[in-house]
Amino acid sequence: MSGEAPRRWRDCSPRPAWGKFRDGTGEFHPLEHHSADVAACFEALLRDPVLRDRFEQASGEEGFSRLTEARLCLIAFLHDFGKLNVGFQFDVLSTNSGAPNKVHHIKAALWACERMEVLEALGLLDMAAWGAEALEEYLRAALAHHGIPARSLVSGRGPDHIWRRFGDYDPITGAQLLARRGREWFPQAFETGPDLPRSPALAHLFAGVLTLADQLGSNGEFFPFCPTADPHYLERARQRARRAVAESGFRRDGWADDATPADFATTGDYRTVFDFDSPRPLQREVADAPIDCPLLILESETGSGKTEAALIRFAKLWRAGRVDGLYFALPTRAAALQLHRRVHTALQRLFPSRAHLETVLAVPGYLKVGETHGKRVGRFDVEWRGDPDEATRRARWSAESARKFLTATVGVGTVDQALLAGLKVKWAHFRGASLARSLLVVDEVHASDVYMTEILRTLLRDHLALGGHALLMSATLGSKARDALVRNATRRGVPPGIRQAKSEPYPALTLARRDQTFFVQSFEHTGYTKRVAMTAEPILGQAPRIAARALWEAEQGGKVLVVRNTVKQAQAVFAEVCAQGGQGLCLQVEDSPALHHSRFAVEDRRLLDGAVEKTLGKGRAAGGRVVIGTQTLEQSLDIDADLLISDLCPVDVLLQRIGRIHRHADTERPDGFARPRCLVLVPEEGLDSGLDGGLLRYGLGMSRNGGIYRDLRVLELTRRLIEKRPEWPIPESNRELVEEATHPERLAALEEELGSRWLDQANEAVGRAAAEQLAAKAHVLDRRGRFADIEFPPLDEAVRTRLGEDGPRIRLSEPATGPFGQPVKTFNLPAHLFRKPPGFPSRDEIESANLDLTEGELLLRVGSRAFRYDRSGIGPATEKRQA
């Protein structure tokens, strides 16, 4: 050949295949060594009792024997055999004239599956005696270690020349060496015994755990390059793998006996962890729940202590060896940020210091573990504040990439991170296998989003089937939604009628057993009852009157929370409050007014989150305030306002919003605010105009492009509840209120009363919901199907955790000063801003976007578009200034 290899490579004769290569130095790690690293990591991961139990469950009746383990280790060893192809091996050479063009190793491996000479050299023909069909399943799973299953689009034998000798390199000789090392290093795989289990669930789990093993085994800190071929290398790899798995937080069997959480049942020491002397009834019910109940659904009012109950459940399952981790899934980023601190503080008290347990904030872009922040350096590396020791730094591996969040021992983040494990998206198997070890806690579960509910239902089904554990929490779960979720783990029959649904206990704990039976446990409500004064105000479209009312209440000293359904309507009220001289009574950020919604730069949203918590959180200062926002303020936040002004919305959502007022009984209230009040903004003309799309600007009704709260039947029933019942006892009436406005029997009766136009709208809403459910079914990853049949959509086809159009993500090349005086760099813009010509921006336009000051106005420019950016968030630039 005309090209020369680097000297470090030339010194090896005959030339070995490389598995890892360091650009610029010529250093390499032989493929047989890298393959051993990954197989050893896979083997070490299986030493953890919890993960091994998941493999036992996935194997079904055939069980997960040592023989099956050895065979899977050998298949893991062969995961990178596609790198043997000549095009891949010579891609690293700078003077490789005459060498084949690079061929990606996954594609080459798929082609090689049709070439008998390669299969024979690798020993795969002999391994087919373990069950040819099952072997294909696990081999396909092994080839998915870059996060995407091999699709059927890659078929045939591919080019011949990539498997022919080139110069002094012979890929077939390399394949024979891999096969020989495999027999030497994993001899138990070739012992006589049953075939490989034909279990789709096991193949899917194997794919995810192998992906984790590949990422650990590719870490140069744990596995330094060893260029000299060593027939005894596997023992060295095993020692390094044990260290890599332990230091990255995936093994706890080496901990001392006292490095486990407190046993509340024995010690009763709640004061040390949670700052209260004895548990509330709901917390005691969760603490007493049997460990053989994999699914718990906890229904209780907001602020009743469900978070602490979840941590008590985690501690119990951990002590019993049923879980190795916790993922706390919240509906919004703001809720995750707030809860992260609470969970971290509790777990620092719950676990002894020698456990070195830190809580990862599983929100992209934040790089936070416990109280420590990180800073990205280059593309892959992260520097952590405080200059931690090597062991601590390595243990934070899970926080350094969004795809790794679910590998954390404890993670607090959005529900989207969990749902990504259940969709046909890159790294889904990796995420799902990581989540399998953990207790999955999902907070604020409700039925308003059909698409997300279907994804969650499928994810739960597969998670529980592996032996996983889950705890779902809600204040407002209707019987229809609860029934669908319970059916993941039970043989529940027909959903209850309206009478039975309303009579079911609340608060309640539903427990689903492994034998597919379930029972509902009621418990005493010990919190205080909020008798909320409900008023329907027909001023939904009158921002000046809404602003005037909010200001008047704040001037009386009240903390007023204004929650609107759309960003535009929130901005309208904010503008009116400022125009009426209320800037000083608004939410304050850097001593100036602001409001809270999703349409801000990512960096500014952190400031807004902190400002809301300071204004309405525990220890709030005295004095009136008006906090204006959207749905970002309604769920999972521990904020406590005196008065709620809310747009009309479905009753379950409205109850979530009501949960943000008078949250704590011991909060001092100003005169006139001792009783909780909720003003619900309704259209003056009634909801009939919504049938023709007249209420879409307020988030009510449905259009061709979607809508927020689309089922006018639920909205009308909610409006009637407000007018019929001027006082809502919360939480005693939660069950009845939700069923009265959402149960199918009530919806059917309303259609009959109101006539054909409402029936048409109902049919359209039900049809849209069915379409969303079908869309979810098309997007979910069904782990009951054969791995070899799985096809993911192309990477440029969006599969989302939340249905709706994704807008462009803008990252400025250099930070710019935002409206709050802080550097900003990242914007997530809604798609509807680009529906009109010139339409969606090109990649070049997105990458060249900038934020500049023009005539005293900050303008975000994306191609030919300009958007005003100020303290009210992103909005359209004025025509004059845009020109």
Side-chain angles (χ1 to χ4, degrees), residues 31-92:
L31 180 57
E32 61 186 284
H33 290 180
H34 170 64
S35 300
D37 296 337
V38 173
C41 284
F42 177 78
E43 186 179 60
L45 287 167
L46 289 184
R47 294 294 176 266
D48 179 74
V50 172
L51 191 55
R52 189 172 190 85
D53 175 73
R54 304 302 184 258
F55 273 78
E56 292 278 359
Q57 294 289 332
S59 299
E61 296 180 359
E62 299 174 68
F64 189 68
S65 64
R66 290 292 179 183
L67 176 62
T68 298
E69 176 187 347
R71 289 173 174 176
L72 291 185
C73 285
L74 178 58
I75 296 171
F77 175 76
L78 296 174
H79 76 287
D80 259 352
F81 77 84
K83 289 182 176 180
L84 290 164
N85 85 81
V86 173
F88 186 91
Q89 287 295 313
F90 285 87
D91 174 65
V92 299

Side-chain angles (χ1 to χ4, degrees), residues 26-243:
E27 294 180 302
F28 74 98
H29 197 46
L31 180 57
E32 61 186 284
H33 290 180
H34 170 64
S35 300
D37 296 337
V38 173
C41 284
F42 177 78
E43 186 179 60
L45 287 167
L46 289 184
R47 294 294 176 266
D48 179 74
V50 172
L51 191 55
R52 189 172 190 85
D53 175 73
R54 304 302 184 258
F55 273 78
E56 292 278 359
Q57 294 289 332
S59 299
E61 296 180 359
E62 299 174 68
F64 189 68
S65 64
R66 290 292 179 183
L67 176 62
T68 298
E69 176 187 347
R71 289 173 174 176
L72 291 185
C73 285
L74 178 58
I75 296 171
F77 175 76
L78 296 174
H79 76 287
D80 259 352
F81 77 84
K83 289 182 176 180
L84 290 164
N85 85 81
V86 173
F88 186 91
Q89 287 295 313
F90 285 87
D91 174 65
V92 299
L93 302 182
S94 58
T95 56
N96 59 352
S97 176
N101 293 329
K102 180 180 180 179
V103 178
H104 193 275
H105 65 288
I106 300 296
K107 182 181 290 188
L110 292 171
W111 281 332
C113 290
E114 303 297 326
R115 307 185 73 91
M116 296 299 292
E117 70 275 20
V118 179
L119 298 180
E120 182 177 14
L122 288 168
L124 289 171
L125 296 182
D126 294 335
M127 293 163 61
W130 306 342
E133 185 176 337
L135 178 63
E136 180 188 5
E137 279 280 276
Y138 297 112
L139 189 60
R140 291 269 181 173
L143 296 180
H145 61 272
H146 282 198
I148 304 176
R151 299 199 304 271
S152 59
L153 296 176
V154 181
S155 59
R157 291 167 52 86
D160 292 337
H161 63 269
I162 64 173
W163 295 107
R164 292 176 181 165
R165 185 182 186 91
F166 184 79
D168 56 354
Y169 174 72
D170 181 10
I172 298 301
T173 300
Q176 291 169 343
L177 175 61
L178 275 188
R180 185 166 66 252
R181 290 288 187 248
R183 280 186 173 274
E184 294 170 353
W185 290 344
F186 302 99
Q188 188 178 355
F190 295 92
E191 293 179 0
T192 302
D195 289 351
L196 285 165
R198 296 178 61 178
S199 166
L202 182 59
H204 287 279
L205 180 60
F206 172 64
V209 176
L210 176 57
T211 303
L212 171 57
D214 181 59
Q215 299 204 14
L216 292 173
S218 298
N219 188 324
E221 291 188 70
F222 291 120
F223 299 94
F225 286 9
C226 300
T228 304
D230 179 3
H232 305 292
Y233 179 80
L234 181 63
E235 288 310 311
R236 200 184 325 178
R238 281 174 167 154
Q239 293 176 5
R240 293 170 175 171
R242 286 191 289 270
R243 174 173 166 244

Side-chain angles (χ1 to χ4, degrees), residues 729-749:
I730 304 296
E732 286 86 346
S733 62
N734 278 23
R735 176 82 75 207
E736 182 180 7
L737 290 168
V738 171
E739 298 299 343
E740 284 287 351
T742 64
H743 196 280
E745 291 181 21
R746 287 290 183 260
L747 299 176

Side-chain angles (χ1 to χ4, degrees), residues 702-825:
M702 185 164 45
S703 72
R704 180 182 60 188
N705 295 318
I708 301 175
Y709 305 118
R710 296 180 305 216
D711 195 334
L712 291 177
R713 300 172 302 169
V714 175
L715 295 168
E716 173 62 14
L717 288 171
T718 301
R719 185 193 66 78
R720 292 184 180 193
L721 283 171
I722 297 166
E723 293 191 342
K724 181 181 178 181
R725 304 184 184 190
E727 182 179 88
W728 287 8
I730 304 296
E732 286 86 346
S733 62
N734 278 23
R735 176 82 75 207
E736 182 180 7
L737 290 168
V738 171
E739 298 299 343
E740 284 287 351
T742 64
H743 196 280
E745 291 181 21
R746 287 290 183 260
L747 299 176
L750 185 71
E751 295 166 17
E752 185 175 352
E753 173 193 340
L754 296 180
S756 60
R757 292 185 68 216
W758 279 79
L759 179 59
D760 291 342
Q761 198 276 343
N763 288 336
E764 188 176 356
V766 171
R768 183 70 63 84
E772 291 186 1
Q773 190 173 36
L774 286 174
K777 289 180 181 293
H779 291 162
V780 295
L781 174 59
D782 187 353
R783 290 175 168 85
R784 298 173 303 179
R786 294 182 67 246
F787 195 95
D789 296 335
I790 295 292
E791 289 190 30
F792 278 16
L795 290 180
D796 57 357
E797 181 179 323
V799 174
R800 310 176 185 91
T801 58
R802 304 178 192 232
L803 202 57
E805 295 178 83
D806 286 340
R809 182 178 176 86
I810 309 296
R811 289 187 62 85
L812 307 179
S813 58
E814 295 293 334
T817 302
F820 301 108
Q822 300 297 316
V824 297
K825 190 172 184 178

Side-chain angles (χ1 to χ4, degrees), residues 409-420:
T409 303
V410 178
V412 177
T414 62
V415 68
D416 305 73
Q417 296 300 321
L419 295 182
L420 286 170

